Coordinates of all heavy atoms in Angstrom, one line a residue:
M54 N 0.9 -1.2 0.0 CA 0.0 0.0 0.0 C 0.9 1.2 0.0 O 1.9 1.3 0.7 CB -0.9 0.0 1.3 CG -1.8 -1.2 1.4 SD -2.9 -1.5 0.0 CE -4.0 -0.1 0.1
A55 N 0.4 2.2 -0.7 CA 1.1 3.5 -0.7 C 1.0 4.2 0.6 O -0.1 4.4 1.1 CB 0.7 4.3 -1.9
S56 N 2.1 4.6 1.3 CA 2.0 5.1 2.7 C 1.4 6.5 2.5 O 0.8 7.1 3.5 CB 3.4 5.3 3.3 OG 4.2 6.1 2.4
C57 N 1.4 7.2 1.4 CA 0.9 8.5 1.3 C -0.7 8.6 1.3 O -1.2 9.6 1.6 CB 1.4 9.2 0.0 SG 0.9 8.3 -1.6
D58 N -1.3 7.5 1.1 CA -2.8 7.5 1.3 C -3.3 6.4 2.2 O -4.3 5.8 2.0 CB -3.5 7.4 -0.1 CG -3.1 6.1 -0.9 OD1 -2.3 5.3 -0.4 OD2 -3.6 6.0 -2.0
M59 N -2.4 6.1 3.2 CA -2.7 5.0 4.2 C -2.6 5.6 5.6 O -1.5 5.9 6.1 CB -1.7 3.9 4.0 CG -1.9 2.7 5.0 SD -3.4 1.8 4.7 CE -3.4 1.5 3.1
P60 N -3.8 5.8 6.2 CA -3.8 6.3 7.5 C -3.1 5.4 8.5 O -3.3 4.1 8.4 CB -5.2 6.6 7.9 CG -6.0 6.0 6.8 CD -5.1 5.6 5.8
M61 N -2.3 5.9 9.5 CA -1.6 5.1 10.4 C -2.5 4.1 11.2 O -2.1 3.0 11.5 CB -0.7 5.9 11.3 CG 0.5 6.6 10.7 SD 1.6 5.4 10.0 CE 2.3 4.7 11.5
W62 N -3.7 4.6 11.6 CA -4.5 3.9 12.4 C -5.0 2.6 11.7 O -5.3 1.5 12.3 CB -5.7 4.7 12.9 CG -6.6 5.2 11.7 CD1 -6.6 6.4 11.2 CD2 -7.6 4.5 10.9 NE1 -7.5 6.6 10.1 CE2 -8.0 5.5 9.9 CE3 -8.1 3.2 11.0 CZ2 -9.0 5.1 9.1 CZ3 -9.1 2.9 10.0 CH2 -9.5 3.8 9.1
S63 N -5.0 2.6 10.3 CA -5.5 1.4 9.6 C -4.4 0.3 9.6 O -4.8 -0.8 9.2 CB -5.9 1.9 8.2 OG -4.7 2.2 7.5
V64 N -3.3 0.5 10.0 CA -2.3 -0.5 10.1 C -1.8 -0.8 11.4 O -0.7 -1.5 11.7 CB -1.0 -0.2 9.1 CG1 -1.5 -0.1 7.6 CG2 -0.3 1.1 9.5
A65 N -2.5 -0.3 12.5 CA -2.2 -0.5 13.8 C -1.9 -1.9 14.2 O -1.0 -2.2 15.0 CB -3.2 0.2 14.7
D66 N -2.6 -2.8 13.7 CA -2.5 -4.2 14.1 C -1.8 -5.1 13.0 O -2.0 -6.3 13.0 CB -3.8 -4.9 14.5 CG -4.8 -4.8 13.4 OD1 -4.6 -4.0 12.4 OD2 -5.9 -5.5 13.5
K67 N -1.2 -4.4 12.0 CA -0.5 -5.1 10.9 C 1.0 -5.0 10.9 O 1.5 -4.1 11.5 CB -1.0 -4.4 9.6 CG -2.5 -4.3 9.4 CD -3.2 -5.6 8.9 CE -4.6 -5.5 8.5 NZ -5.6 -4.9 9.3
A68 N 1.6 -5.9 10.2 CA 3.0 -5.9 10.0 C 3.3 -4.9 8.9 O 2.6 -5.0 7.8 CB 3.6 -7.3 9.7
V69 N 4.2 -4.0 9.0 CA 4.5 -3.0 8.0 C 6.0 -3.1 7.6 O 6.8 -3.1 8.5 CB 4.3 -1.6 8.5 CG1 4.6 -0.6 7.4 CG2 2.8 -1.4 8.8
V70 N 6.3 -3.3 6.4 CA 7.7 -3.3 5.8 C 7.9 -2.1 5.0 O 7.2 -1.8 4.1 CB 7.9 -4.6 5.0 CG1 9.3 -4.6 4.4 CG2 7.7 -5.9 5.8
T71 N 8.9 -1.3 5.4 CA 9.3 -0.2 4.7 C 10.6 -0.5 4.0 O 11.2 -1.6 4.1 CB 9.5 1.1 5.6 OG1 10.6 0.7 6.5 CG2 8.2 1.3 6.3
L72 N 11.1 0.4 3.2 CA 12.4 0.2 2.5 C 13.5 -0.2 3.5 O 14.3 -1.0 3.2 CB 12.8 1.5 1.7 CG 14.0 1.3 0.8 CD1 13.7 0.3 -0.3 CD2 14.4 2.7 0.3
E73 N 13.5 0.4 4.6 CA 14.6 0.1 5.6 C 14.4 -1.3 6.1 O 15.5 -1.8 6.5 CB 14.4 1.1 6.8 CG 14.8 2.5 6.5 CD 13.8 3.3 5.8 OE1 12.6 2.8 5.6 OE2 14.1 4.3 5.2
G74 N 13.3 -1.9 5.9 CA 13.1 -3.3 6.3 C 13.4 -4.4 5.2 O 13.3 -5.5 5.4
L75 N 13.6 -3.8 4.0 CA 13.8 -4.7 2.9 C 15.2 -5.3 2.8 O 15.3 -6.5 2.5 CB 13.5 -3.8 1.5 CG 13.1 -4.6 0.3 CD1 11.8 -5.3 0.6 CD2 12.8 -3.6 -0.8
G76 N 16.2 -4.6 3.0 CA 17.6 -5.0 3.0 C 18.4 -4.1 3.8 O 18.0 -3.1 4.3
T77 N 19.7 -4.4 3.9 CA 20.7 -3.5 4.6 C 21.7 -3.1 3.6 O 21.8 -3.7 2.5 CB 21.3 -4.2 5.7 OG1 22.0 -5.3 5.3 CG2 20.3 -4.7 6.7
A78 N 22.6 -2.2 3.9 CA 23.7 -1.9 3.1 C 24.6 -3.0 2.9 O 25.2 -3.3 1.8 CB 24.5 -0.7 3.7
E79 N 24.7 -3.9 3.9 CA 25.7 -5.0 3.8 C 25.0 -6.2 3.1 O 25.7 -7.0 2.4 CB 26.0 -5.5 5.2 CG 26.9 -4.5 6.1 CD 26.0 -3.4 6.6 OE1 24.8 -3.6 6.8 OE2 26.6 -2.3 6.8
Q80 N 23.7 -6.3 3.3 CA 22.9 -7.4 2.7 C 21.7 -6.8 1.9 O 20.6 -6.9 2.5 CB 22.5 -8.5 3.6 CG 23.7 -9.3 4.1 CD 23.2 -10.5 4.8 OE1 22.4 -10.4 5.7 NE2 23.9 -11.6 4.6
P81 N 21.9 -6.2 0.8 CA 20.6 -5.6 0.2 C 19.7 -6.7 -0.3 O 20.2 -7.8 -0.6 CB 21.3 -4.8 -1.0 CG 22.6 -5.4 -1.2 CD 23.1 -6.0 0.1
H82 N 18.5 -6.4 -0.4 CA 17.5 -7.3 -1.0 C 17.9 -7.4 -2.5 O 18.5 -6.6 -3.1 CB 16.1 -6.5 -1.0 CG 15.0 -7.3 -1.4 ND1 14.6 -7.5 -2.7 CD2 14.0 -8.0 -0.7 CE1 13.6 -8.2 -2.9 NE2 13.2 -8.6 -1.7
P83 N 17.6 -8.6 -3.1 CA 18.0 -8.8 -4.5 C 17.4 -7.7 -5.4 O 18.1 -7.4 -6.4 CB 17.3 -10.2 -4.8 CG 17.2 -10.9 -3.5 CD 16.9 -9.8 -2.4
L84 N 16.3 -7.2 -5.2 CA 15.8 -6.1 -5.9 C 16.8 -4.9 -5.9 O 17.1 -4.2 -6.8 CB 14.4 -5.6 -5.6 CG 13.3 -6.5 -6.2 CD1 12.0 -6.1 -5.5 CD2 13.2 -6.4 -7.7
Q85 N 17.2 -4.5 -4.7 CA 18.1 -3.4 -4.4 C 19.4 -3.7 -5.1 O 20.0 -2.8 -5.8 CB 18.3 -3.2 -2.9 CG 17.1 -2.7 -2.2 CD 17.2 -2.7 -0.7 OE1 17.6 -3.7 -0.1 NE2 16.8 -1.6 -0.1
R86 N 19.9 -4.9 -5.0 CA 21.2 -5.3 -5.6 C 21.1 -5.1 -7.1 O 21.9 -4.6 -7.8 CB 21.6 -6.7 -5.2 CG 23.0 -7.0 -5.6 CD 23.5 -8.4 -5.1 NE 22.8 -8.8 -3.8 CZ 22.0 -9.9 -3.7 NH1 21.6 -10.6 -4.7 NH2 21.5 -10.2 -2.5
T87 N 19.9 -5.6 -7.7 CA 19.7 -5.5 -9.2 C 19.6 -4.1 -9.6 O 20.1 -3.7 -10.7 CB 18.5 -6.3 -9.5 OG1 18.7 -7.7 -9.1 CG2 18.3 -6.4 -11.0
F88 N 18.8 -3.3 -8.9 CA 18.7 -1.8 -9.3 C 20.1 -1.2 -9.3 O 20.4 -0.4 -10.2 CB 17.8 -1.1 -8.2 CG 16.4 -1.0 -8.7 CD1 15.7 -2.2 -9.0 CD2 15.8 0.2 -8.7 CE1 14.4 -2.2 -9.4 CE2 14.4 0.3 -9.0 CZ 13.7 -0.9 -9.4
I89 N 21.0 -1.5 -8.4 CA 22.3 -0.9 -8.4 C 23.1 -1.5 -9.6 O 23.7 -0.7 -10.4 CB 23.0 -1.2 -7.0 CG1 22.4 -0.5 -5.9 CG2 24.5 -0.9 -7.1 CD1 22.7 -0.9 -4.5
T90 N 23.1 -2.8 -9.8 CA 23.9 -3.4 -10.8 C 23.4 -3.0 -12.2 O 24.3 -2.7 -13.1 CB 23.7 -5.0 -10.8 OG1 24.1 -5.5 -9.5 CG2 24.5 -5.7 -11.8
E91 N 22.1 -2.8 -12.4 CA 21.6 -2.4 -13.7 C 21.5 -0.9 -13.8 O 21.0 -0.4 -14.9 CB 20.2 -3.0 -13.9 CG 20.2 -4.6 -13.9 CD 21.0 -5.1 -15.0 OE1 21.0 -4.6 -16.2 OE2 21.7 -6.2 -14.8
Q92 N 21.9 -0.2 -12.8 CA 21.8 1.3 -12.8 C 20.4 1.7 -13.2 O 20.2 2.5 -14.1 CB 22.8 2.0 -13.7 CG 24.3 1.6 -13.3 CD 25.3 2.2 -14.1 OE1 25.1 3.1 -14.9 NE2 26.5 1.7 -13.9
A93 N 19.4 1.1 -12.5 CA 18.0 1.3 -12.9 C 17.4 2.6 -12.6 O 16.5 3.1 -13.2 CB 17.1 0.2 -12.3
M94 N 18.0 3.3 -11.6 CA 17.4 4.6 -11.2 C 18.4 5.7 -11.6 O 19.5 5.5 -11.8 CB 17.2 4.6 -9.7 CG 18.4 4.5 -8.8 SD 18.4 2.9 -8.3 CE 19.8 2.8 -7.2
Q95 N 17.7 6.9 -11.6 CA 18.4 8.1 -11.9 C 18.6 9.0 -10.7 O 19.7 8.9 -10.1 CB 17.8 8.9 -13.0 CG 18.6 9.9 -13.7 CD 18.1 10.5 -15.0 OE1 17.5 9.7 -15.7 NE2 18.3 11.7 -15.3
C96 N 17.6 9.7 -10.2 CA 17.8 10.5 -9.0 C 17.5 9.8 -7.8 O 18.0 10.1 -6.8 CB 16.9 11.7 -9.2 SG 15.1 11.4 -8.8
G97 N 16.6 8.8 -7.9 CA 16.4 7.9 -6.8 C 15.1 8.4 -6.0 O 14.8 7.7 -5.0
Y98 N 14.5 9.5 -6.3 CA 13.4 9.9 -5.5 C 12.2 8.9 -5.5 O 11.6 8.8 -4.5 CB 12.9 11.3 -6.3 CG 11.7 11.9 -5.5 CD1 11.9 12.6 -4.3 CD2 10.4 11.7 -6.0 CE1 10.8 13.2 -3.7 CE2 9.3 12.3 -5.3 CZ 9.6 13.0 -4.2 OH 8.5 13.5 -3.5
C99 N 12.0 8.3 -6.6 CA 10.9 7.3 -6.6 C 11.2 5.9 -6.1 O 10.3 5.1 -6.0 CB 10.4 7.3 -8.1 SG 11.6 6.5 -9.1
V100 N 12.5 5.6 -5.9 CA 12.9 4.3 -5.8 C 12.4 3.5 -4.6 O 12.1 2.4 -4.7 CB 14.4 4.2 -5.8 CG1 15.0 2.9 -5.5 CG2 15.0 4.6 -7.2
S101 N 12.2 4.3 -3.5 CA 11.6 3.6 -2.3 C 10.3 3.0 -2.6 O 10.1 1.8 -2.3 CB 11.5 4.6 -1.1 OG 12.7 5.2 -0.8
G102 N 9.4 3.7 -3.2 CA 8.0 3.2 -3.4 C 8.1 2.1 -4.5 O 7.3 1.1 -4.4
I103 N 8.9 2.3 -5.5 CA 9.0 1.3 -6.6 C 9.6 0.0 -6.1 O 9.1 -1.1 -6.4 CB 9.8 1.8 -7.8 CG1 8.9 2.9 -8.5 CG2 10.2 0.7 -8.7 CD1 9.6 3.5 -9.7
L104 N 10.6 0.1 -5.2 CA 11.1 -1.2 -4.6 C 10.1 -1.9 -3.8 O 10.1 -3.2 -3.8 CB 12.5 -0.9 -3.9 CG 13.7 -0.6 -4.7 CD1 14.8 -0.1 -3.9 CD2 14.1 -1.8 -5.5
I105 N 9.4 -1.2 -3.0 CA 8.4 -1.8 -2.1 C 7.3 -2.4 -2.9 O 6.8 -3.5 -2.7 CB 7.9 -0.7 -1.0 CG1 8.9 -0.4 0.0 CG2 6.6 -1.3 -0.4 CD1 9.4 -1.6 0.8
S106 N 6.8 -1.7 -4.0 CA 5.8 -2.2 -4.8 C 6.3 -3.5 -5.5 O 5.6 -4.5 -5.7 CB 5.4 -1.2 -5.8 OG 4.7 -0.1 -5.2
A107 N 7.5 -3.4 -6.0 CA 8.1 -4.6 -6.7 C 8.2 -5.8 -5.8 O 8.0 -6.9 -6.2 CB 9.4 -4.2 -7.4
A108 N 8.7 -5.5 -4.6 CA 8.9 -6.6 -3.6 C 7.5 -7.2 -3.3 O 7.5 -8.5 -3.2 CB 9.6 -6.1 -2.3
A109 N 6.5 -6.4 -3.1 CA 5.1 -6.9 -2.8 C 4.7 -7.8 -4.0 O 4.2 -8.8 -3.7 CB 4.3 -5.8 -2.5
L110 N 4.9 -7.3 -5.2 CA 4.5 -8.1 -6.4 C 5.2 -9.4 -6.4 O 4.6 -10.5 -6.6 CB 4.8 -7.3 -7.6 CG 4.7 -8.2 -9.0 CD1 3.3 -8.6 -9.2 CD2 5.3 -7.4 -10.1
L111 N 6.5 -9.5 -6.2 CA 7.3 -10.7 -6.2 C 7.0 -11.6 -5.1 O 7.0 -12.9 -5.2 CB 8.8 -10.4 -6.2 CG 9.3 -9.7 -7.5 CD1 10.7 -9.4 -7.3 CD2 9.0 -10.6 -8.7
K112 N 6.5 -11.1 -4.0 CA 6.1 -11.9 -2.8 C 4.7 -12.7 -3.2 O 4.6 -13.8 -2.9 CB 5.8 -11.1 -1.6 CG 5.6 -11.9 -0.3 CD 5.5 -11.0 0.9 CE 5.3 -11.9 2.1 NZ 5.3 -11.1 3.3
R113 N 3.8 -12.0 -3.9 CA 2.6 -12.6 -4.2 C 2.6 -13.4 -5.6 O 1.9 -14.3 -5.9 CB 1.4 -11.7 -4.2 CG 1.4 -10.6 -5.1 CD 0.2 -9.7 -5.0 NE 0.1 -8.7 -5.9 CZ 0.7 -7.5 -5.8 NH1 1.4 -7.2 -4.7 NH2 0.7 -6.6 -6.8
N114 N 3.7 -13.0 -6.5 CA 3.8 -13.6 -7.8 C 5.3 -13.6 -8.1 O 5.8 -12.6 -8.6 CB 3.0 -12.8 -8.8 CG 3.1 -13.4 -10.2 OD1 3.8 -14.4 -10.4 ND2 2.6 -12.7 -11.2
P115 N 6.0 -14.7 -7.8 CA 7.5 -14.7 -8.0 C 7.9 -14.7 -9.4 O 9.1 -14.5 -9.7 CB 7.8 -16.1 -7.3 CG 6.7 -16.6 -6.5 CD 5.5 -15.9 -7.1
S116 N 7.0 -15.0 -10.4 CA 7.4 -15.0 -11.8 C 6.4 -14.1 -12.6 O 5.7 -14.7 -13.5 CB 7.4 -16.4 -12.3 OG 8.4 -17.2 -11.7
P117 N 6.4 -12.8 -12.3 CA 5.4 -12.0 -13.1 C 5.8 -11.8 -14.5 O 7.0 -11.8 -14.9 CB 5.4 -10.7 -12.3 CG 6.8 -10.6 -11.7 CD 7.2 -12.1 -11.4
T118 N 4.9 -11.6 -15.4 CA 5.1 -11.2 -16.7 C 5.5 -9.7 -16.7 O 5.3 -9.0 -15.7 CB 3.9 -11.4 -17.6 OG1 2.8 -10.5 -17.1 CG2 3.4 -12.8 -17.6
E119 N 6.0 -9.3 -17.8 CA 6.4 -7.8 -17.9 C 5.1 -6.9 -17.7 O 5.1 -6.0 -17.1 CB 7.0 -7.5 -19.3 CG 7.4 -6.0 -19.5 CD 8.1 -5.7 -20.7 OE1 8.8 -6.6 -21.2 OE2 8.0 -4.5 -21.1
A120 N 4.0 -7.4 -18.3 CA 2.7 -6.7 -18.2 C 2.3 -6.6 -16.7 O 1.8 -5.6 -16.2 CB 1.6 -7.3 -19.1
E121 N 2.5 -7.7 -16.0 CA 2.2 -7.7 -14.5 C 3.1 -6.8 -13.8 O 2.6 -6.1 -12.9 CB 2.2 -9.1 -14.0 CG 1.1 -10.0 -14.5 CD 1.3 -11.4 -14.2 OE1 2.4 -11.9 -14.1 OE2 0.2 -12.2 -14.1
V122 N 4.4 -6.7 -14.1 CA 5.3 -5.8 -13.5 C 4.8 -4.4 -13.7 O 4.8 -3.5 -12.8 CB 6.7 -6.0 -13.9 CG1 7.6 -4.9 -13.3 CG2 7.2 -7.4 -13.5
R123 N 4.5 -4.1 -15.0 CA 4.1 -2.7 -15.3 C 2.9 -2.3 -14.6 O 2.7 -1.2 -14.2 CB 4.0 -2.6 -16.9 CG 5.3 -2.6 -17.6 CD 5.2 -2.3 -19.1 NE 6.5 -2.5 -19.7 CZ 7.4 -1.6 -19.7 NH1 7.2 -0.4 -19.1 NH2 8.6 -1.7 -20.3
A124 N 1.9 -3.3 -14.6 CA 0.7 -3.0 -13.8 C 0.9 -2.7 -12.4 O 0.3 -1.8 -11.7 CB -0.3 -4.1 -14.0
A125 N 1.8 -3.5 -11.7 CA 2.1 -3.4 -10.3 C 2.8 -2.1 -10.0 O 2.6 -1.4 -8.9 CB 3.0 -4.5 -9.8
L126 N 3.6 -1.5 -11.0 CA 4.3 -0.3 -10.8 C 3.5 0.9 -11.3 O 4.1 2.1 -11.3 CB 5.6 -0.4 -11.4 CG 6.6 -1.5 -10.9 CD1 7.9 -1.4 -11.5 CD2 6.7 -1.4 -9.3
D127 N 2.4 0.7 -11.8 CA 1.6 1.8 -12.5 C 1.4 3.1 -11.6 O 1.4 4.1 -12.1 CB 0.2 1.3 -13.0 CG -0.4 2.2 -13.9 OD1 0.2 2.7 -14.9 OD2 -1.6 2.5 -13.7
R128 N 1.2 2.9 -10.3 CA 0.9 4.0 -9.5 C 2.2 4.7 -9.0 O 2.1 5.8 -8.4 CB 0.1 3.5 -8.2 CG -1.3 3.2 -8.7 CD -2.2 3.0 -7.4 NE -2.4 4.3 -6.7 CZ -2.6 4.4 -5.5 NH1 -2.7 3.4 -4.7 NH2 -2.8 5.6 -4.9
N129 N 3.3 4.1 -9.3 CA 4.6 4.7 -8.8 C 5.1 5.6 -10.0 O 5.5 5.0 -11.0 CB 5.6 3.6 -8.5 CG 5.2 2.8 -7.3 OD1 4.4 1.8 -7.5 ND2 5.6 3.2 -6.1
L130 N 5.1 6.9 -9.8 CA 5.6 7.8 -10.8 C 7.1 8.0 -10.7 O 7.6 8.3 -9.6 CB 4.8 9.1 -10.7 CG 3.3 9.0 -10.8 CD1 2.7 10.4 -10.7 CD2 2.9 8.3 -12.1
C131 N 7.8 8.0 -11.9 CA 9.2 8.3 -11.9 C 9.3 9.4 -12.9 O 9.1 9.3 -14.1 CB 9.9 7.1 -12.4 SG 11.7 7.4 -12.6
R132 N 9.7 10.6 -12.3 CA 9.8 11.8 -13.1 C 11.1 11.7 -14.0 O 11.2 12.5 -14.9 CB 9.9 13.0 -12.2 CG 8.6 13.2 -11.3 CD 7.4 13.5 -12.2 NE 6.2 13.6 -11.4 CZ 5.0 13.4 -11.8 NH1 4.8 13.0 -13.0 NH2 4.0 13.6 -11.0
C133 N 12.0 10.9 -13.7 CA 13.2 10.8 -14.5 C 12.9 9.9 -15.8 O 13.8 9.9 -16.6 CB 14.3 10.2 -13.7 SG 14.9 11.3 -12.4
G134 N 11.8 9.3 -15.9 CA 11.6 8.4 -17.0 C 12.3 7.1 -17.0 O 12.7 6.6 -18.0
S135 N 12.7 6.7 -15.8 CA 13.5 5.4 -15.7 C 12.7 4.1 -15.6 O 13.2 3.1 -15.3 CB 14.4 5.6 -14.5 OG 15.3 6.7 -14.6
H136 N 11.4 4.3 -15.8 CA 10.5 3.0 -15.7 C 11.0 1.8 -16.5 O 11.0 0.8 -16.0 CB 9.1 3.4 -16.1 CG 8.3 4.1 -15.1 ND1 7.9 5.3 -15.1 CD2 7.8 3.5 -13.9 CE1 7.2 5.6 -14.0 NE2 7.1 4.5 -13.3
N137 N 11.4 2.1 -17.7 CA 11.8 0.9 -18.5 C 12.9 0.2 -18.0 O 13.0 -1.0 -18.0 CB 12.0 1.4 -20.0 CG 10.7 1.7 -20.7 OD1 9.7 1.1 -20.4 ND2 10.8 2.6 -21.7
R138 N 13.9 0.9 -17.6 CA 15.2 0.3 -16.9 C 14.8 -0.5 -15.7 O 15.2 -1.5 -15.4 CB 16.3 1.3 -16.6 CG 16.9 1.8 -17.9 CD 18.3 2.4 -17.5 NE 18.3 3.3 -16.4 CZ 18.4 4.6 -16.4 NH1 18.5 5.2 -17.6 NH2 18.5 5.3 -15.3
M139 N 13.9 0.1 -14.9 CA 13.4 -0.5 -13.6 C 12.6 -1.8 -14.0 O 12.8 -2.8 -13.3 CB 12.5 0.4 -12.9 CG 13.2 1.6 -12.3 SD 12.2 2.7 -11.4 CE 13.3 4.1 -11.2
V140 N 11.8 -1.8 -15.0 CA 11.0 -3.0 -15.3 C 12.0 -4.1 -15.8 O 11.9 -5.2 -15.4 CB 10.0 -2.7 -16.4 CG1 9.4 -4.0 -17.1 CG2 8.8 -1.8 -15.9
Ligands
FES1199 S1 14.8 8.0 -10.7 FE1 14.2 10.0 -10.5 S2 12.1 10.1 -10.1 FE2 12.6 8.1 -10.6

């Protein structure tokens, strides 16, 4: 869920994973490692939301099609136009 339209009270009894919980500098999540290796981002402003959305997609669907990836990231806007590299 996008944190910008999610009231805190609605997740009071839920587990919440943020980017900080995805990986560490020493042990980045495979998505984080791949974004770095592939130089997928430009300014990085959008990356937190995109990584969390992508991780959520892969958790529920480990082998998504390109169309499913694009649909899952549809609400995450990248002003640098880096969507294609991220996909
Ligand atoms: S990399 Fe700059 S907004 Fe996405």
Side-chain angles (χ1 to χ4, degrees):
M54 303 302 295
S56 61
C57 57
D58 61 2
M59 179 64 52
M61 289 297 291
W62 59 262
S63 68
V64 296
D66 59 344
K67 307 274 192 309
V69 175
V70 176
T71 63
L72 185 66
E73 289 75 15
L75 206 56
T77 65
E79 297 76 29
Q80 290 192 312
H82 184 279
L84 281 169
Q85 292 169 311
R86 194 175 325 113
T87 303
F88 265 53
I89 293 167
T90 302
E91 298 297 325
Q92 299 181 13
M94 61 264 185
Q95 193 165 327
C96 77
Y98 182 79
C99 66
V100 174
S101 299
I103 287 181
L104 284 171
I105 290 295
S106 293
L110 168 65
L111 293 176
K112 188 172 182 178
R113 63 179 185 273
N114 178 2
S116 298
T118 64
E119 181 175 331
E121 290 169 329
V122 172
R123 290 186 183 281
L126 301 181
D127 191 50
R128 291 190 66 207
N129 296 86
L130 302 179
C131 175
R132 300 295 181 204
C133 294
S135 301
H136 276 109
N137 287 330
R138 289 201 314 254
M139 294 177 186
V140 169

